[in-house]
Amino acid sequence: QAPLVESGGGSVQAGGSLRLSCLLSGASFDEYAVGWFRQTPGKKRDGVAAIAWGSTGRTQYSDSVKGRFTVSRDDAKNTVYLQMNGLKTEDTAMYSCAADRTWGSILRGTPKIWGQGTQVTVSA
């Protein structure tokens, strides 16, 4: 089983909402910072949101999703969430979560552990 598994993707109309989940298996999530990234064919992967480990509450968002997306974590469930509201057609992408013990690796887009991704499609 892959250590990180995303779920919750799907198709939605513009203005709608989705909540993505990222489940870590085989380790304790509270030791990891987690980032959400997205990629469309032919384009580079972009960071969308990130959350630091434990109870720091530290989060970071890309300008394109700030105010619409919220990242949160439930370490008891070994799960990180990405709540996406006010979805736009340009949010259509493959979304992946990734984990690393260092915040810098998340911000640089070079975390060690990656999930396989979940597709989000937003129609007009």
Side-chain angles (χ1 to χ4, degrees), residues 34-106:
V34 177
W36 284 98
F37 300 82
R38 67 186 182 187
Q39 188 172 24
T40 55
K43 295 188 177 181
K44 70 177 184 69
R45 184 169 55 207
D46 291 325
V48 173
I51 186 164
W53 49 85
S55 59
T56 66
R58 183 177 184 180
T59 58
Q60 185 157 317
Y61 298 91
S62 67
D63 288 342
S64 62
V65 306
K66 201 171 294 182
R68 300 187 297 123
F69 291 11
T70 303
V71 60
S72 62
R73 63 191 302 153
D74 184 340
D75 289 333
K77 296 182 178 179
N78 252 18
T79 301
V80 169
Y81 304 98
L82 183 67
Q83 178 67 45
M84 305 186 296
N85 298 329
L87 283 162
K88 304 176 181 180
T89 56
E90 53 262 43
D91 294 319
T92 295
M94 178 70 75
Y95 285 72
S96 300
C97 66
D100 199 282
R101 285 193 167 94
T102 64
W103 184 241
S105 293
I106 296 292

